[in-house]
Amino acid sequence: MTDTTLTPGSVEAHGQHSGHNLTGFIIFLCSESVVFLAFFSGYALLKTSALDWLPPGVEGLEWRTPLVNTVVLVSSSGTIYLAEQFKARDNMALFRGFWLLSMAMGAYFLYGQAVEWSGLQFGFTSGTFGGTFYLLTGFHGLHVATGILLMGLMLIKSFIPGNYSGGEQGVQATSLFWHFVDVIWIILFLLIYVWQ
Amino acid sequence: MTIATFPPEPKPDPGWSRYFGFCTDAKVIGIQYIVTAFFFFLIGGLLAMVIRGELITPASDLVDRAVYNGIYTMHGTIMLFLFIFPVLNGLNNLLIPTMIGAPDMAFPRLNAVAFWLVPIFGSLLIASFFVPGGPAYSGWWSYPPVSIQNPLGHFVNGQGLWITAVALSGVSSIMGALNFVTTILRMRAPGMTITRMPVFCWTALAAQSLQLIGLPALTGGAIMLLMDLSFGTSFYRPEGGGDPVLYQHFFWFYSHPAVYVIILPVFGIFSELFPVYSRKPLFGYLYVALASFIIVGLGLIVWVHHMFPSGVAQWMRNLFMVFTMLIAVPTGVKVFAWLGTIWGGKLQLTTPMLFCLGGLFNFVFAGITGIMLATVPVDIHVSNTYFVVGHFHYVIYGAAVMGIFAAIYHWFPKFIGRMPYEGLGKLHCLLTFVGANLNFLPMHPLGLMGMPRRVSSYDPEFTFWNVVASLGAFLLGVSIIPFLLNMVSAWIRGPKATHNPWRAIGLEWLLPSPPPEDNFGEEVPTVISRPYGYGTGLPLVEHQDEIERRLDLQEASAA
Ligand code: HEM
Ligand SMILES: [Cu+2]
């Protein structure tokens, strides 16, 4: 924990509370990660103790298409990082370009997920395998969708003059959220597709 | 910093209406929380009276057995999720900003949303009394497989409403916790380093960190429970390959720490009040403060002690037994610090002090029975008996609720601006202390004799102690009357409070009573020493004499 004695200067910032948003958001992400931790450990526990894990007729999960999805999603962490770099150099055009690219990659991931879901032989009531599979991918997908919405919001706000006079915490928080979603996906991919 | 314009001219009273709307002032939200919590306390208490009325005779005569299951489930749920947590969040809202010199919470709107969720999920829970099939009946912990039965087949049923309400309560508490933690970390007055922070803020920080770590697990587990109940999954359904014990892990991973979420702020209250009414500095301030975080660390890794009888491996039982007993160490540090503070002090037996002393006594008693419960063989023996019910009511009613009453009497003058009546307060304290002990002590012999909990009828050999307990419960019920009378009449026409009626040391006591909307505004005093400088003559802040002289002048001219 840092020693955060306030200087009189930051007392003045109370009016808009802008200085606290990022702190609050980081705390929120830590808390949110516990939900995933709970789901992950539930998955591991159910899987290791199951007698027949896969529902009858299901051979296992196809992992090649999800791997492509994974590559796209993880690279979007890189593009959003680049966008932030351009933002720092005040190159708004490239910032918006890479930002939009990250959004598109996120959308591609969601599309890929939807295609995968629609081709599966099992539903979410097919035993604990089906339940946990849809719970984990669905809950994560919800986060991806939220991330895309947040990015869209930030993109629109970037056109408002004077938007960044109070700091760039919105952009920072959104990109942090996006990295978070990516890291969660990597763990999820390892758990569900690699560990079969 | 100048103090030229402090304190500000008192503004006209903004009136009652703001208590009923979406207001973002933490002091208003704090009072909204506390009043709402006590409304639900009355409902939960009424259910408790029905329980004890039923148990005054061995036969199941007052209510139907099935109804009885619903009643204790709702009693426990309402008391925890709609009374204790909201009332503590109310105190957090009042005390954290004023104690650290912040004008408000870090996120005022989030704060208001967190509060307004309480009446919403409260109504959902109460509504479950009126749906076909009645309220949830699977106990406050809602273990599957009982909790995933839906015999009538209605989509809207008591159990489903219960899970939804608890999940919403989790969302509300997480929002609150985000706010409290950010506020404490980022908005302290100049000069208030973390080691100059009042212990109440330390304990709030510790308790709210627990909320942030633990609650998401419970919420996740509750979502899975709802899907099992309503959407046909089988996470916890053994016949579908699921595992009911998985739910127990989720549930206790949060609900064990939840007892520290409840008791840590009460430790904070004790640590604030004992020095005031003993006129001595808090003994071992830094150890008391740090012990809170040792409790957090240990509290997060002992949940399996609630599952000793649930078929967990022996090595796990032993490990968790040892960890559980270790918690006695930081807790003991605190108890000794309070005793050291009281020792040789000039005790002032005001209402808040009496509540603290009573609460400390009950807490020590509960600590002894707690260590007994942590011992695996004893636990297996008394698990699911009245011994457990007696133990946790000593903690919750005997210590936590008494500490909360102490806090209410202590800070009432500050935030309402009027003094509560001492006579009624002392009567309330006496009735509470006697009632609680009469009610909950007999539960220990009953448990050792083997009376199971959650039954509406019992073997006649248990009658004597049950009658005693029921009489104690009715006394506890009566004890609320002087409390409510006191609060209402003091609020309406109690004597005006000065800014520091208890001669306490702390930033909140350097504000007018009641404080202006943005507390110190731009003129936050600079803190120059540790809290609790009683009897040392050390000023807490720069220009302290000047600030106090101005407050005195303002009060004199208003009188
Ligand atoms: C007004 C005074 C109170 C009385 C007379 C009382 C009485 C009881 C009794 C007799 C039971 C056991 C019911 C059974 O197992 O058959 C019980 C359960 C319980 N009480 Fe209280 N209680 C009181 C206050 C509180 C408070 C203030 C809280 C918490 C803030 C609380 C939390 C609980 C919980 C969590 C249970 C367990 C419910 C379950 O078994 O699922 N009680 N109470
Ligand atoms: Cu526990």
Side-chain angles (χ1 to χ4, degrees):
Chain A
M1 200 176 307
T2 50
D3 189 311
T4 47
T5 312
L6 284 182
T7 54
S10 58
V11 173
E12 271 141 38
H14 283 343
Q16 7 172 348
H17 307 297
S18 55
H20 318 312
N21 291 347
L22 205 57
T23 314
F25 198 75
I26 292 171
I27 298 174
F28 165 75
L29 286 186
C30 295
S31 190
E32 187 72 0
S33 62
V34 181
V35 186
F36 282 104
L37 201 70
F39 287 159
F40 290 159
S41 39
Y43 177 86
L45 207 108
L46 287 173
K47 176 165 172 145
T48 45
S49 63
L51 295 177
D52 18 47
W53 176 237
L54 295 177
V58 178
E59 295 292 300
L61 287 164
E62 203 282 315
W63 55 272
R64 282 172 212 93
T65 334
L67 186 64
V68 176
N69 268 336
T70 307
V71 171
V72 172
L73 190 69
V74 173
S75 331
S76 72
S77 249
T79 56
I80 202 170
Y81 172 78
L82 285 180
E84 260 194 301
Q85 293 301 307
F86 286 120
K87 173 88 203 34
R89 294 198 198 112
D90 274 330
N91 189 335
M92 288 310 281
L94 278 176
F95 160 66
R96 292 196 184 105
F98 275 93
W99 196 256
L100 201 64
L101 180 63
S102 317
M103 281 174 74
M105 290 162 93
Y108 175 82
F109 173 85
L110 276 189
Y111 169 74
Q113 180 107 68
V115 170
E116 191 201 350
W117 274 20
S118 60
L120 288 174
Q121 309 295 319
F122 54 89
F124 65 93
T125 51
S126 315
T128 42
F129 170 75
T132 45
F133 173 82
Y134 283 101
L135 181 72
L136 284 175
T137 52
F139 194 60
H140 176 266
L142 217 60
H143 282 72
V144 177
T146 312
I148 296 174
L149 280 179
L150 277 177
M151 280 152 79
L153 196 70
M154 293 305 139
L155 191 64
I156 295 170
K157 281 177 96 177
S158 78
F159 288 101
I160 301 173
N163 179 43
Y164 297 110
S165 56
E168 304 177 0
Q169 303 209 2
V171 172
Q172 286 169 334
T174 307
S175 117
L176 209 61
F177 184 73
W178 198 246
H179 296 314
F180 170 79
V181 170
D182 280 358
V183 172
I184 295 288
W185 176 258
I186 295 175
I187 304 174
L188 213 159
F189 184 76
L190 291 176
L191 264 184
I192 295 190
Y193 294 93
V194 178
W195 178 36
Q196 292 213 17
Chain B
M1 188 209 67
T2 60
I3 51 159
T5 56
F6 188 82
E9 281 304 305
K11 292 202 194 80
D13 186 5
W16 284 87
S17 57
R18 69 202 156 121
Y19 289 109
F20 297 94
F22 190 87
C23 177
T24 55
D25 176 1
K27 289 183 292 296
V28 174
I29 294 178
I31 291 171
Q32 287 176 322
Y33 261 119
I34 293 176
V35 173
T36 313
F38 272 100
F39 170 76
F40 286 111
F41 182 64
L42 293 184
I43 299 182
L46 203 68
L47 294 174
M49 295 303 115
V50 176
I51 296 177
R52 289 303 341 168
E54 168 62 65
L55 294 177
I56 204 163
T57 58
S60 178
D61 37 22
L62 186 62
V63 292
D64 191 65
R65 268 169 220 267
V67 175
Y68 185 82
N69 291 342
I71 287 183
Y72 68 70
T73 300
M74 293 298 274
H75 160 74
T77 310
I78 289 177
M79 285 298 196
L80 291 171
F81 294 104
L82 283 159
F83 168 61
I84 280 275
F85 290 134
V87 81
L88 289 171
N89 274 355
L91 289 175
N92 283 337
N93 264 294
L94 295 177
L95 296 177
I96 290 174
T98 50
M99 279 183 158
I100 64 174
D104 203 335
M105 285 293 172
F107 312 112
R109 249 173 305 155
L110 189 71
N111 198 19
V113 173
F115 164 72
W116 279 105
L117 278 175
V118 176
I120 291 176
F121 71 78
S123 318
L124 271 185
L125 203 62
I126 301 294
S128 72
F129 276 107
F130 305 104
V131 297
Y137 46 77
S138 47
W140 81 280
W141 55 41
S142 234
Y143 278 1
V146 181
S147 59
I148 49 181
Q149 313 297 325
N150 185 1
L152 295 185
H154 292 289
F155 186 73
V156 175
N157 55 69
Q159 188 64 46
L161 287 173
W162 186 96
I163 302 172
T164 314
V166 167
L168 280 180
S169 145
V171 172
S172 156
S173 297
I174 289 176
M175 289 176 171
L178 267 177
N179 232 327
F180 300 132
V181 170
T182 312
T183 309
I184 294 176
L185 290 182
R186 297 296 305 270
M187 294 173 71
R188 295 195 306 280
M192 185 181 276
T193 56
I194 200 118
T195 55
R196 280 183 187 163
M197 193 163 74
V199 173
F200 182 82
C201 296
W202 274 91
T203 54
L205 188 62
Q208 298 301 322
S209 314
L210 278 177
Q211 294 278 58
L212 288 170
I213 301 170
L215 260 177
L218 175 70
T219 312
I223 292 173
M224 289 160 75
L225 194 64
L226 191 62
M227 304 205 2
D228 271 10
L229 175 74
S230 306
F231 302 103
T233 54
S234 46
F235 299 117
Y236 307 129
R237 219 178 265 285
E239 62 276 24
D243 182 2
V245 177
L246 177 62
Y247 174 82
Q248 296 189 16
H249 280 292
F250 288 147
F251 183 83
W252 288 114
F253 178 74
Y254 170 63
S255 293
H256 177 75
V259 308
Y260 298 106
V261 177
I262 295 170
I263 206 67
L264 276 168
V266 176
F267 290 170
I269 293 167
F270 287 166
S271 308
E272 296 293 326
L273 267 56
F274 281 131
V276 180
Y277 299 109
S278 310
R279 311 310 302 167
K280 275 176 65 190
L282 178 65
F283 187 83
Y285 161 80
L286 205 57
Y287 296 98
V288 176
L290 288 175
S292 317
F293 277 88
I294 297 177
I295 292 178
V296 168
L298 287 172
L300 279 170
I301 51 172
V302 297
W303 76 94
V304 173
H305 65 207
H306 293 273
M307 301 163 56
F308 286 159
S310 301
V312 288
Q314 187 61 37
W315 66 267
M316 260 170 115
R317 290 178 177 168
N318 294 341
L319 188 73
F320 281 93
M321 171 170 91
V322 173
F323 282 149
T324 303
M325 293 193 169
L326 276 181
I327 297 192
V329 177
T331 313
V333 166
K334 294 202 179 210
V335 172
F336 283 116
W338 299 322
L339 293 177
T341 309
I342 306 170
W343 194 260
K346 295 196 222 55
L347 298 200
Q348 297 171 341
L349 298 179
T350 57
T351 305
M353 180 62 162
L354 289 175
F355 267 108
C356 280
L357 289 171
L360 180 56
F361 176 89
N362 290 336
F363 181 71
V364 171
F365 182 85
I368 297 168
T369 55
I371 292 284
M372 289 169 71
L373 282 174
T375 324
V376 173
V378 176
D379 184 63
I380 302 259
H381 178 64
V382 297
S383 169
N384 266 320
T385 70
Y386 259 88
F387 193 86
V388 176
V389 180
H391 160 73
F392 72 71
H393 280 86
Y394 258 87
V395 180
I396 292 187
Y397 210 113
V401 177
M402 286 197 64
I404 288 166
F405 280 133
I408 289 178
Y409 283 101
H410 182 71
W411 279 290
F412 186 95
K414 174 51 60 192
F415 293 100
I416 306 297
R418 292 178 186 272
M419 301 297 292
Y421 299 101
E422 274 293 295
L424 279 173
K426 285 184 174 143
L427 178 66
H428 174 207
C429 184
L430 184 75
L431 290 178
T432 307
F433 186 76
V434 175
N437 278 285
L438 212 57
N439 185 354
F440 303 124
L441 192 68
M443 295 184 179
H444 295 88
L446 280 176
L448 292 174
M449 284 155 72
M451 176 171 167
R453 66 193 278 199
R454 297 175 170 169
V455 289
S456 61
S457 58
Y458 51 83
D459 193 290
E461 67 167 318
F462 302 135
T463 312
F464 172 72
W465 287 118
N466 270 303
V467 172
V468 178
S470 289
L471 294 180
F474 301 146
L475 200 62
L476 263 188
V478 171
S479 76
I480 296 303
I481 297 171
F483 171 66
L484 292 181
L485 213 64
N486 202 349
M487 292 297 115
V488 173
S489 56
W491 196 330
I492 294 172
R493 54 178 191 91
K496 282 246 184 282
T498 60
H499 69 276
N500 192 358
W502 315 115
R503 293 187 298 121
I505 298 178
L507 281 185
E508 79 270 31
W509 301 106
L510 294 174
L511 285 164
S513 303
E517 193 181 325
D518 57 351
N519 299 336
F520 292 100
E522 300 288 308
E523 312 216 345
V524 188
T526 304
V527 177
I528 51 174
S529 67
R530 278 202 178 168
Y532 318 114
Y534 297 96
T536 60
L538 277 179
L540 179 69
V541 300
E542 273 174 16
H543 312 293
Q544 178 153 333
D545 293 339
E546 176 67 12
I547 295 176
E548 291 190 326
R549 201 176 52 78
R550 282 165 192 268
L551 283 164
D552 286 339
L553 272 177
Q554 192 183 60
E555 278 154 14
S557 68

